[in-house]
Amino acid sequence: MHELPLTRDLVLIGGGHSHALLLKRWGMKPLPGVRVTVINPGAIAAYSGMLPGFVAGHYDRDALELDLMKLARFAGARAILGRAMAIDREARLVHVTGRPPIHYDVASIDIGITSDMPDLPGFTDYGIPAKPLEAFATRWETFRDRARSGAPVEVAVIGGGVAGAELAMAMSHALRNIATAQVWLIDHSEILTEMRAPTRRALLKALGRAGVRLRPQSKVVEIRPDGVSFADGTTLGAQFVLGAAGARPYGWLGDTGLELHDGFITVNPSLQSSDPRIFAAGDCAHLAHAPRPKAGVYAVRQAPILYDNLRAVLADGTEKADLLPYHPQRDYLKLISLGAKAALADKAGIRLSGPAMWQWKDRIDRNFMRKLKELTPMAPPRLPERVAQGLREEVEGKKPMCGACGAKVGGDILQRVLSATPDTERPERRDILHLAGDDAAILTHGDTWQVASVDHLRAFVEDPVLMTRITATHALGDVWAMGASPQAALATVTLPKMSEALQESWLAEIMAAARDLFADEGAEIIGGHTAMGAEFSIGFTVTGLVGNPITLKGARPGDRLILTKPIGTGVMLAAEMEMKANGRDMEAAYRSMVQSSGEASRILDFAHAMTDVTGFGLAGHLLGICRASGVSADIRLDDIPVLPGALDLAKRGLQSTIYPANRAYAAEYEGPEGPRADLLFDPQTAGGLLAALSPMRTEKCLAALDEAGYQAAIIGEITESVDGETRLVVRE
């Protein structure tokens, strides 16, 4: 979080090469007072320069992927995983699918280009465009692995430019050991017409050596499940159809009111659009003063100019800041992959080819990626020489405190503090029942039962909307765990230091997200409280209505235990804070955290006992049921669903800061040690429901949960206590 007050919003739309490099520079030298936001459809952006090498099999998937989540964390920026679809320039708002609009003072657009191919009949169903690169890489991996198992292997690449030729040769190389494999390169015109004649001849020979068959002057009219149909009535069999032609700008740019050239954003030498508060770079931009072809080299070299000019405008506060011009080179070095570990180099009429050119290209590409992957977090400031006794031990050698449930007070401390008042009842009025350790208090109003609870989380992501959705889902977990229907909520928001304009935009995003989420669950926000503080935190006091509350007390020997969500959010968030988590895995973790447990609660309405798995971890919350019910539990470690990446992080020794307290709190644990067992004590944020229910209902409930989209599992059963002692027996 930010130490100095925030006064300006910089919004980066898209995760292209220019913005990725800008984030790295910003993390090394930020402009104090600026909140940076990067918007991208996914957590991962692929580097186009290494894509042919990946397709050919020379690189693994990780080599060509840029982790925007890590870059954002390094830059102190918030990463919003969504697709920008409009800009309201008058209100200075960016509209993103599925969330409230985002305010900007200055914006930059680097969204690359898309493909005309989806306009081709059948392409959306049976083809795949080369861009976005991440989706293509995933589809190709699946097809290649299936082809090696003996499936039919015919590939059609539509688009006879350099990109199509590179990918066709790469595919042919990857499939070279499959006798039936055939790769076609198709174009409505001639192949490689944009190249100089000598370079074109060299590449055509390379295509022939790679075994790629050419079909020029062939207009494709339809993509079918079994191949491609042409305007002359002929067909071509293909199980994988790639679209590498018809690159075009995204259509929504036409509605921005910005000056465009053939749909691309026209920019001046300072990379400003016709609106001086909006910059653009990379393939989506048109350099009016020096038009150039679409190539990654220009995006890379625009990055330092863009960085300096954005800082200048944000610091100056006007459009008349002293800005640097970008002057692109007239020609650039083209290094074209030839399928095998060979490449062709072309610049200013000079051509060289062979393995040495591949080694040169490989070194350039790896160095570029290394710049964006080697991210060293800033070291905390050193303590002065004289400090209070005990402070040095509390600070030095300890990792920063986790957010969310990793920042909770330990269960043993809470148990000692609260042990003096284990139950709360008012017999004379019979209106409050609060069982020690239960998820929520139970209030009575005549014949109506109401449950009430509160949760408050220290922020662990920079995005207030995502933080709001996770916190609201987390708070409602107590209501759902008692089988209640959400009724009302009070919001408590502490904002970090910022200008009044940013206070308004933050609160607008927070309240819009909260209203939508609670409304979807049948509840209303009825008020709240705001304050300014050292860091962002948010909480909700929630109520719900229920006919027959489900409590911790009620589990019976023989009951089966169902868990409705995978575990691992604590170690994932701890790793993300240290920039050690994979962005794609974090994306999955956030999806799990915002998944409502409302439908799961309704499906588990017949549970004998139920809780939500949160700060004390799966072991702690299961023991809560066992202690209250006077029973024990027997669970199977391998049956417990785990979030992608969580076990690998646990194997690397990563833990949430509250892990030791959770381990101490679960004293009745009897079972194996090791990384998978450690996840039982991992604090969960917005975790799933844990229910004990009759064996006769278990399979039916599990099927219903699966149909509703939950990654649920039967993880064990309730057993008899031995001599009145609760035990948690864990088996591998």
Side-chain angles (χ1 to χ4, degrees):
M1 291 297 173
H2 306 271
E3 295 182 4
L4 297 174
L6 298 171
T7 59
R8 289 291 181 270
D9 266 321
L10 168 62
V11 175
L12 307 177
I13 305 170
H17 299 350
S18 295
H19 282 175
L21 289 164
L22 188 151
L23 287 169
K24 175 69 180 284
R25 285 173 173 263
W26 199 277
M28 297 170 67
K29 188 179 179 182
L31 181 64
V34 177
R35 178 179 68 160
V36 180
T37 298
V38 58
I39 304 168
N40 199 64
I44 301 297
Y47 172 46
S48 57
M50 298 177 79
L51 183 65
F54 162 77
V55 171
H58 307 318
Y59 302 121
D60 61 20
R61 182 72 176 269
D62 182 66
L64 78 155
E65 290 186 336
L66 294 172
D67 193 327
L68 291 176
M69 301 285 280
K70 285 184 182 178
L71 275 169
R73 168 67 74 173
F74 178 76
R78 63 167 171 167
I80 292 175
L81 303 183
R83 192 175 296 279
M85 58 181 182
I87 297 176
D88 181 343
R89 290 168 48 213
E90 184 175 348
R92 289 187 185 168
L93 295 173
V94 180
H95 292 269
V96 179
T97 304
R99 59 160 293 134
I102 299 161
H103 172 266
Y104 69 88
D105 292 295
V106 179
S108 178
I109 305 174
D110 182 16
I111 56 176
I113 52 181
T114 185
S115 169
D116 276 328
M117 303 308 300
D119 292 340
L120 189 65
F123 187 86
T124 300
D125 294 326
Y126 308 116
I128 178 73
K131 293 190 176 184
L133 303 180
E134 308 84 64
F136 162 57
T138 298
R139 287 275 292 275
W140 170 251
E141 257 184 335
T142 302
F143 175 79
R144 181 194 61 202
D145 294 344
R146 191 171 65 243
R148 289 170 179 169
S149 67
V153 190
E154 295 170 297
V155 175
V157 179
I158 304 173
V162 172
E166 275 192 298
L167 291 171
M169 287 186 281
M171 290 174 164
S172 187
H173 180 79
L175 304 173
R176 65 193 181 282
N177 294 326
I178 302 174
T180 59
Q182 182 60 66
V183 178
W184 288 85
L185 183 60
I186 304 165
D187 200 278
H188 69 279
S189 180
E190 293 297 330
I191 306 295
L192 295 167
T193 54
E194 77 271 33
M195 304 301 295
R196 298 183 181 95
T199 304
R200 178 173 182 265
R201 287 193 294 271
L203 286 175
L204 288 173
K205 288 180 181 179
L207 283 163
R209 288 193 299 270
V212 177
R213 299 184 67 178
L214 308 182
R215 182 149 180 174
Q217 301 291 342
S218 299
K219 183 179 180 181
V220 177
V221 294
E222 184 182 9
I223 308 300
R224 305 182 312 179
D226 58 349
V228 178
S229 295
F230 297 97
D232 62 5
T234 60
T235 61
L236 182 68
Q239 294 78 45
F240 191 93
V241 178
L242 174 67
R248 66 176 182 183
Y250 283 89
W252 66 267
L253 294 176
D255 299 323
T256 60
L258 298 172
E259 182 182 337
L260 305 178
H261 176 83
D262 293 335
F264 298 97
I265 303 169
T266 300
V267 296
N268 62 20
S270 62
L271 302 179
Q272 287 172 299
S273 71
S274 54
D275 181 336
R277 291 282 178 172
I278 297 178
F279 290 68
D283 286 350
C284 70
H286 169 70
L287 303 172
H289 63 293
R292 293 292 186 271
K294 303 302 178 186
V297 64
Y298 297 118
V300 169
R301 296 188 178 182
Q302 286 166 358
I305 303 296
L306 182 64
Y307 167 79
D308 286 336
N309 288 348
L310 289 171
R311 286 173 59 92
V313 171
L314 288 160
D316 185 86
T318 72
E319 298 87 359
K320 299 179 181 179
D322 187 16
L323 303 182
L324 299 175
Y326 168 65
H327 297 298
Q329 65 267 43
R330 292 189 175 277
D331 195 8
Y332 65 96
L333 174 65
K334 304 170 188 68
L335 285 166
I336 303 168
S337 299
L338 302 179
K341 288 188 176 181
L344 183 146
D346 177 79
K347 185 177 182 182
I350 299 174
R351 286 165 302 285
L352 297 170
S353 63
M357 297 301 100
W358 164 263
Q359 293 169 7
W360 188 17
K361 173 177 168 53
D362 177 62
R363 185 163 56 251
I364 291 172
D365 289 338
R366 289 184 185 274
N367 286 339
F368 173 76
M369 294 298 283
R370 193 175 295 115
K371 290 179 184 178
L372 295 171
K373 290 190 174 189
E374 292 181 354
L375 307 173
T376 304
M378 294 287 289
R382 295 178 60 86
L383 291 173
E385 185 176 343
R386 289 178 64 84
V387 296
Q389 184 179 9
L391 177 62
R392 200 171 298 279
E393 291 78 6
E394 282 296 315
V395 174
E396 292 184 349
K398 288 191 175 183
K399 61 190 243 179
M401 183 176 66
C402 293
C405 277
K408 282 176 69 84
V409 174
D412 52 346
I413 296 175
L414 290 174
Q415 195 170 43
R416 290 196 297 270
V417 171
L418 300 176
S419 60
T421 55
D423 291 335
T424 300
E425 289 191 56
R426 302 202 293 185
E428 71 283 1
R429 298 178 62 176
R430 300 179 62 82
D431 61 346
I432 298 177
L433 175 63
H434 184 190
L435 302 177
D438 234 313
D439 293 287
I442 303 172
L443 313 178
T444 63
H445 304 277
D447 295 331
T448 302
W449 295 72
Q450 183 185 52
V451 300
S453 184
V454 62
D455 267 301
H456 197 100
L457 298 180
R458 174 175 174 263
F460 52 87
V461 292
E462 292 276 352
D463 180 14
V465 170
L466 179 58
M467 194 66 225
T468 298
R469 289 172 174 167
I470 292 172
T471 307
T473 304
H474 182 80
L476 286 172
D478 292 338
V479 173
W480 289 320
M482 301 193 84
S485 299
Q487 177 195 26
L490 293 166
T492 306
V493 180
T494 300
L495 295 177
K497 296 169 286 187
M498 60 180 64
S499 66
E500 289 187 2
L502 264 67
Q503 290 176 39
E504 184 175 352
S505 68
W506 276 53
L507 285 173
E509 289 187 31
I510 290 167
M511 295 312 296
R515 278 193 301 269
D516 289 346
L517 189 146
F518 281 108
D520 287 345
E521 300 299 335
E524 295 291 337
I525 295 182
I526 57 174
H529 178 77
T530 61
M532 301 292 289
E535 60 183 1
F536 176 41
S537 64
I538 185 168
F540 293 98
T541 301
V542 293
T543 65
L545 300 176
V546 64
N548 186 24
I550 305 171
T551 67
L552 298 180
K553 186 183 292 186
R556 308 167 189 174
D559 281 353
R560 300 296 187 264
L561 291 166
I562 285 185
L563 179 66
T564 64
K565 285 186 183 182
I567 61 174
T569 60
V571 70
M572 296 291 294
L573 293 175
E576 198 277 335
M577 185 172 63
E578 298 181 42
M579 294 191 295
K580 294 178 180 177
N582 175 272
R584 186 179 286 110
D585 292 340
M586 287 308 305
E587 193 172 1
Y590 292 140
R591 280 198 304 268
S592 179
M593 283 186 266
V594 299
Q595 183 183 27
S596 166
S597 289
E599 184 60 24
S601 176
R602 290 184 283 274
I603 291 170
L604 297 169
D605 184 58
F606 297 101
H608 296 151
M610 189 156 65
T611 186
D612 61 331
V613 181
T614 52
F616 300 141
L618 177 58
H621 286 283
L622 175 52
L623 281 167
I625 289 178
C626 292
R627 291 164 183 162
S629 302
V631 296
S632 294
D634 192 318
I635 63 174
R636 296 171 295 278
L637 203 55
D638 289 344
D639 290 343
I640 298 169
V642 175
L643 286 167
L647 182 57
D648 288 339
L649 293 171
K651 289 177 179 177
R652 290 163 57 186
L654 278 92
Q655 295 174 346
S656 174
T657 49
I658 201 178
Y659 168 87
N662 281 354
R663 188 65 196 257
Y665 182 61
E668 301 93 331
Y669 175 81
E670 300 176 16
E673 302 295 334
R676 187 178 287 274
D678 287 346
L679 293 176
L680 296 175
F681 311 98
D682 188 56
Q684 302 304 290
T685 301
L689 298 177
L690 176 65
L693 66 165
S694 165
M696 294 185 296
R697 298 184 183 275
T698 304
E699 292 297 337
K700 185 176 180 180
C701 285
L702 190 65
L705 288 165
D706 181 67
E707 187 176 350
Y710 295 97
Q711 190 182 337
I714 301 170
I715 65 168
E717 62 183 35
I718 297 295
T719 59
E720 296 275 2
S721 291
V722 179
D723 298 327
E725 296 291 329
T726 291
R727 300 168 66 214
L728 173 56
V729 179
V730 179
R731 307 179 194 279
E732 293 191 84

